[in-house]
Amino acid sequence: MTKRFGVVLVSHVEELAYGAYKLVKESATETPLTYAGGTDDGAIGSSFDKIMQAVEENEADYLYAFYDLGSAKMTLEMVSEMSEKSVEIVDCAFIEGAYTASVLINGGNDKQAIDDQLAPLKIK
């Protein structure tokens, strides 16, 4: 069953992406949540293929995507152009933003409520 909203976590380090996933999943057990970390060969960086897989494997149609550094954002932008899913790349604190969005999604909030709560966390 497809869910309306989900979250994708992208980090340059696989362990950081997985750690953020574990932290968020503790409180947002029903939120569709996927992650991608590191390069294809396990180094620090970002991988188009890993990020595309995280987007495509997420059960949701509309994804809030959170990232740790700029090149992850650039790769997310490329993925969002190639995916048929709606991917909103959120420029805010990685952990706090992902946690906030995931918990609100888990609680059944609508897009406006999620966006309103993310607004103070955005990086300007």
Side-chain angles (χ1 to χ4, degrees), residues 52 74 93:
M52 179 61 89
M74 291 177 3

Side-chain angles (χ1 to χ4, degrees), residues 2 77 124:
T2 302
E77 288 169 345
K124 299 182 186 205

Side-chain angles (χ1 to χ4, degrees), residues 9-124:
L9 306 168
V10 178
S11 172
H12 280 69
V13 178
E14 186 164 358
E15 293 85 358
L16 180 57
Y18 179 64
Y21 170 86
K22 282 178 54 175
L23 176 69
V24 170
K25 206 61 174 167
E26 276 292 309
S27 297
T29 58
E30 299 300 315
T31 298
L33 183 65
T34 51
Y35 68 93
T39 63
D40 293 333
D41 61 0
I44 293 174
S46 57
S47 161
F48 178 90
D49 291 336
K50 283 185 169 188
I51 296 170
M52 179 61 89
Q53 182 177 357
V55 166
E56 296 304 316
E57 288 182 356
N58 196 297
E59 298 174 356
D61 296 321
Y62 188 95
L63 302 174
Y64 285 91
F66 299 89
Y67 63 93
D68 60 356
L69 296 171
S71 64
K73 179 181 181 180
M74 291 177 3
T75 308
L76 267 167
E77 288 169 345
M78 289 187 290
V79 166
S80 70
E81 291 173 10
M82 302 293 289
S83 177
E84 293 188 20
K85 294 187 178 192
S86 294
V87 179
E88 181 174 341
I89 301 167
V90 186
D91 293 324
C92 73
F94 180 54
I95 302 297
E96 293 88 342
Y99 186 88
T100 299
S102 297
V103 169
L104 290 167
I105 292 166
N106 198 75
N109 288 274
D110 65 12
K111 183 171 181 353
Q112 188 62 55
I114 296 165
D115 292 347
D116 287 349
Q117 291 296 315
L118 288 175
L121 301 175
K122 291 205 174 176
I123 299 166
K124 299 182 186 205

